[in-house]
Amino acid sequence: MAMTTVAEPVSPGPTAPGAVSPGPRRGFRERVTGGILGRGALSFVIATAGVNLSNFVFHLVMSRYLGPGHYSALGALLNIIAVVAVPIGAAQLAVTQAVVERCSDGRQRSLRRVSAIGLVGGTGAMLVFWALTPLLDAFLHLSSPLPLLLVGVWIPLATLGAVLQGALIGEYRFPLVAAASFLGGGPVRLALGVGLVALGLGVPGAVGATIAAQLFTTVVLLVAARSEIFAAKRRGGGQERYAVHASLRDAALSIAALGGYTALTGIDTFLARHFFSATRAGQYAAGAVAGHIALFLPGALVMIVFPRLVEGAGTSTSSRKALGEALGATVAVGLVAAAGIAVLPGLVVSVLFGASYRAAAGIVGLLALESAVLGTIGLLTYLQIARRSLSALWAWVGVGLAVLVISLDHPSLLAVVAAMLGAVVAVLVLLGIPTLAAVLRASAGEGAVPQQVEVAGEAELELSLVVPFYNPGPRLRAHVTEAVAVLEGAGVSFEILAVSDGSTDGCEEQLAGIFPGVVRTLRLPRNEGKGAALRTGLAIGRGEYLGFIDGDGDIPAGLLSSFVEVARRDRPDVVYGSKRHRDSKVIYPWQRRVYSWGYQSLTRALFSLPVRDTQTGVKLIRRDVVAAVLPRMVEKRFAFDLELLAVARRLGFRNFVELPVVIRERFSSTVSLGSVRDMLLDTAAIFYRLRVLRYYGPPVRRAAPGRLERAAPVRNAPEIGHALGSLSLDGSVMKGEQLA
């Protein structure tokens, strides 16, 4: 019976007969509510989408009731609210960061104390704002200061609400925040706005509805957090549940960063009100509102991912994963929304705003694209705030560019949009560079420690073949059986190490009892990646050549005979299969072909490898090459092949031989958008380690490799089979911590 070796404590096995496996509905629900949408965050996203939709309807109704002239005034006032909300939002972030980090020094303040400070500070800000009302009234050409005075009333209410919301988000109590935000920002504001404007109160009525909605939201949040706010009084001044660290630098950075981002999202509407007539400014404001549909979900995603970014400063494994999920969702949602608006801009404007706003049809598509970029900028800005990096301030550069260009030349609405699009793209690049650098440093440094994985001893066989697999389906047994037959036919002494990368479908049972002494099954306790499985097998292989072939059977084992022949005859450093070989026969869907071509082009540009295809899952590597390379490697996932070849070349090995392959039709695949994202990140991390950190060390002097005499097939050598069956994994190579 084949021996099953456990590398670490075995995880639960396959589902027992008669047990009910998770159904498709449950699996879909678990996928949806996992990751950044866990801990009730999905409810917050849904509620925020509802609030944004309600606000959008609010704008539509107000634009029709008020007309372009008065609606442009309302748009300018709401942009003022957005700018004033910057320090308020910074206070919310400070509370969230403090709750997540659980500060414990002497400069803490309780939630009750911070709420009181926020309310007092908001009241003071209201008085300052009222003092500036005459200047703002003159700049915006308003007929009455009343709307501006009402905006001032909004400030202390919003400040208190932000403190409470920050505390609840820091505790991941998203459902409570979702309920308060949805009810206040949705039905209350819309119903009151329609009622007050219909009564003839005009712009002041619309602003008054906004204030009433904020009051409702703050009261709901106050009720939700009442136990924390009033706990100290009831307990006689005991320890509070929440604590906020008074960091002037953090507060200043948050205020400045959010101020830049907020100004960037509304500076065009603000300038349009100043430079254009009331009607044209109203048309531009309508186009901006329609374009900001692309920002409906990104705002919610930023808030739910921010605590996770704080936990790992944007660079830990979990933090990078959350960032990747949020970034992918933000880009996808933004581009889909922008494309939908750009296809039928005239219809969008006419249906949403009416015929009097038809001039916005020419700019709404570009404004939607601008908003899609702004969504990504918002996420990256919050990431830099979590990292406490001054890179969070780059949005101000975009504001300066927009003001400069628009002030110098604003002949049309389209010219303003073009200036804004150029400004936001510049900011995206400026933010993307430090973000990518930080992620690469973290990814390259993570696990970049001595692995203590060595290929020890002299070769005892001609070939050790590792077959890594993860839930490969029913073809595993046939694939391994074919490999045994091919290698026997080639007349080599060999062993097959089948390594399960934490499979959960019980596929290891397929190999039970086949070819005792030849096929050995190893199992990692959890899914770590193809690279982890390969490292496990290669580290204990006893062959003069150590190779591997994917376990899913897409690459037929019959190819191994040609690989063995070349290895015996030419003694190359590496023999690798390539889909790019002219004699290869590949059955691949077009999406995989595009991905494969793109990745191959990327690796050639970054690494200058004499290899046209690094990722085809069949290779043979000479033992001394593996012995030199494996201890330096850190990759655990699909980029293992690339790192192996890149490090081998770095260490001075140059003799790589390319052979054709046959790729059968793929019935299943572990390649998804997530794995593509991870592989690109891992590839960049390898480049960073290789070219920047010089982690892999200088080239080594190579000794001439030894050569085994041709040996009989291992199945005819009982003593070798006995030695293989008794090989222990208790040595230093296979300790659990080295596989983690």
Side-chain angles (χ1 to χ4, degrees):
M1 186 172 184
M3 176 180 176
T4 300
T5 306
V6 180
E8 290 185 2
V10 180
S11 58
T15 305
V20 179
S21 61
R25 292 185 179 180
R26 179 181 176 184
F28 175 77
R29 182 171 64 252
E30 290 175 349
R31 288 194 297 271
V32 170
T33 57
I36 61 173
L37 296 181
R39 305 189 190 184
L42 181 60
S43 63
F44 184 80
V45 173
I46 294 173
T48 302
V51 171
N52 288 331
L53 179 60
S54 178
N55 289 339
F56 184 72
V57 174
F58 176 82
H59 277 274
L60 298 184
V61 174
M62 295 301 104
S63 67
R64 291 177 180 271
Y65 268 106
L66 298 174
H70 290 95
Y71 176 64
S72 67
L74 177 61
L77 289 167
L78 294 180
N79 277 318
I80 290 176
I81 287 180
V83 172
V84 174
V86 168
I88 298 174
Q92 177 178 318
L93 293 185
V95 174
T96 299
Q97 284 181 294
V99 172
V100 170
E101 295 174 346
R102 292 293 194 271
C103 298
S104 60
D105 63 16
R107 294 181 295 171
Q108 294 176 350
R109 298 291 185 272
S110 69
L111 179 60
R112 178 165 174 258
R113 175 73 170 172
V114 171
S115 299
I117 292 174
L119 185 59
V120 172
T123 302
M126 176 185 68
L127 297 176
V128 173
F129 184 83
W130 280 349
L132 297 175
T133 294
L135 295 177
L136 293 171
D137 186 23
F139 184 84
L140 297 176
H141 313 300
L142 299 175
S143 59
S144 169
L146 178 59
L148 288 168
L149 295 175
L150 292 175
V151 169
V153 176
W154 172 87
I155 296 175
L157 297 175
T159 304
L160 178 58
V163 171
L164 299 173
Q165 183 167 305
L168 295 173
I169 288 177
E171 283 282 323
Y172 293 95
R173 296 166 70 182
F174 292 113
L176 288 173
V177 180
S181 300
F182 176 75
L183 293 175
V188 172
R189 186 190 189 203
L190 182 59
L192 286 177
V194 171
L196 294 176
V197 174
L199 290 175
L201 296 180
V203 174
V207 176
T210 301
I211 296 171
Q214 181 61 62
L215 174 62
F216 179 89
T217 300
T218 301
V219 170
V220 173
L221 292 172
L222 189 62
V223 171
R226 65 188 182 279
S227 60
E228 288 79 24
I229 293 176
F230 301 110
K233 185 175 181 179
R234 290 197 302 268
R235 293 196 298 263
Q239 186 179 3
E240 296 282 351
R241 180 177 183 179
Y242 295 114
V244 177
H245 187 287
S247 172
L248 181 60
R249 183 186 183 280
D250 289 350
L253 178 62
S254 297
I255 292 172
L258 294 183
Y261 176 69
T262 304
L264 188 62
T265 60
I267 189 64
D268 51 345
T269 302
F270 193 79
L271 293 175
R273 174 68 185 181
H274 179 72
F275 288 117
F276 294 136
S277 66
T279 299
R280 293 184 71 196
Q283 292 166 343
Y284 189 95
V289 169
H292 285 171
I293 292 174
L295 289 173
F296 273 18
L297 287 179
L301 292 172
V302 164
M303 291 310 303
I304 65 173
V305 81
F306 183 70
R308 297 173 186 265
L309 298 180
V310 172
E311 286 177 352
T315 56
S316 69
T317 300
S318 60
S319 188
R320 294 200 312 270
K321 181 179 180 181
L323 173 63
E325 292 178 3
L327 185 61
T330 298
V331 172
V333 169
L335 292 180
V336 169
I341 293 172
V343 169
L344 297 170
L347 180 63
V348 170
V349 173
S350 61
V351 170
L352 296 180
F353 298 97
S356 59
Y357 294 89
R358 61 180 177 272
I363 60 173
V364 68
L366 289 176
L367 284 169
L369 179 60
E370 173 204 325
S371 296
V373 179
L374 282 170
T376 304
I377 290 174
L379 176 60
L380 298 183
T381 297
Y382 273 71
L383 168 65
Q384 299 302 333
I385 292 174
R387 295 182 61 238
R388 295 179 169 87
S389 169
L390 293 178
S391 297
L393 304 177
W394 279 121
W396 282 112
V397 174
V399 174
L401 287 174
V403 171
L404 177 62
V405 175
I406 294 172
S407 299
L408 292 176
D409 186 22
H410 47 271
S412 65
L413 301 182
L414 185 60
V416 174
V417 178
M420 281 299 302
L421 190 56
V424 297
V425 170
V427 173
L428 180 63
V429 173
L430 292 173
L431 270 172
I433 291 174
T435 299
L436 181 60
V439 172
L440 283 181
R441 283 195 298 269
S443 182
E446 182 182 86
V449 296
Q451 296 293 302
Q452 299 179 6
V453 176
E454 297 181 356
V455 180
E458 298 294 330
E460 302 176 32
L461 308 170
E462 287 188 279
L463 175 65
S464 293
L465 184 69
V466 180
V467 182
F469 60 90
Y470 173 70
N471 294 346
R475 294 187 291 172
L476 177 62
R477 183 185 179 97
H479 184 50
V480 172
T481 301
E482 182 184 3
V484 171
V486 170
L487 295 177
E488 282 189 324
V492 295
S493 58
F494 68 95
E495 62 180 344
I496 293 180
L497 303 170
V499 184
S500 170
D501 183 25
S503 297
T504 58
D505 62 353
C507 54
E508 298 94 342
E509 297 300 321
Q510 298 181 39
L511 304 181
I514 69 169
F515 308 111
V518 177
V519 177
R520 189 175 186 189
T521 304
L522 309 175
R523 182 180 179 186
L524 302 184
R526 61 182 180 276
N527 179 240
E528 298 184 55
K530 174 185 173 183
L534 288 175
R535 180 180 286 109
T536 300
L538 294 175
I540 65 170
R542 300 184 300 147
E544 179 184 356
Y545 269 85
L546 302 165
F548 56 87
I549 186 170
D550 286 347
D552 54 18
D554 291 343
I555 301 175
L559 296 174
L560 293 171
S561 59
S562 61
F563 280 66
V564 170
E565 180 182 353
V566 169
R568 269 180 165 171
R569 183 185 67 235
D570 301 330
R571 311 291 298 157
D573 298 330
V574 179
V575 186
Y576 70 96
S578 172
K579 297 184 289 292
R580 302 297 299 277
H581 195 286
R582 65 181 181 180
D583 295 329
S584 292
K585 298 179 181 179
V586 179
I587 302 176
Y588 253 19
W590 69 268
Q591 299 95 327
R592 295 264 311 188
R593 289 180 181 272
V594 171
Y595 156 72
S596 181
W597 176 86
Y599 187 72
Q600 291 159 10
S601 300
L602 176 66
T603 55
R604 284 199 303 273
L606 292 179
F607 299 97
S608 301
L609 285 171
V611 176
R612 294 190 295 173
D613 179 10
T614 63
Q615 297 310 115
T616 297
V618 55
K619 292 177 178 67
L620 299 186
I621 310 101
R622 205 175 55 242
R623 187 178 187 84
D624 62 310
V625 179
V626 177
V629 170
L630 195 62
R632 293 171 165 83
M633 295 180 61
V634 299
E635 288 297 330
K636 298 180 180 180
R637 298 185 291 196
F638 288 104
F640 180 91
D641 301 54
L642 171 63
E643 187 181 34
L644 186 150
L645 296 172
V647 176
R649 181 172 174 81
R650 169 67 179 169
L651 298 182
F653 299 100
R654 295 288 190 271
N655 189 4
F656 297 173
V657 177
E658 177 186 79
L659 291 182
V661 296
V662 174
I663 305 288
R664 295 167 174 165
E665 181 177 1
R666 182 172 289 270
F667 296 96
S668 63
S669 175
T670 56
V671 177
S672 62
L673 289 177
S675 63
V676 170
R677 176 201 65 209
D678 292 340
M679 189 163 183
L680 291 176
L681 181 59
D682 291 344
T683 300
I686 294 171
F687 178 83
Y688 189 81
R689 283 193 293 268
L690 182 69
R691 305 297 188 194
V692 180
L693 297 180
R694 306 289 182 179
Y695 166 78
Y696 299 113
V700 296
R701 177 175 294 180
R702 294 163 46 198
R707 181 183 182 91
L708 288 181
E709 296 296 328
R710 182 180 177 118
V714 70
R715 292 185 68 197
N716 297 327
E719 66 280 1
I720 295 179
H722 174 75
L724 177 62
S726 61
L727 182 63
S728 173
L729 294 182
D730 293 335
S732 63
V733 171
M734 294 298 295
K735 287 183 180 178
E737 65 270 20
Q738 294 156 5
L739 296 178

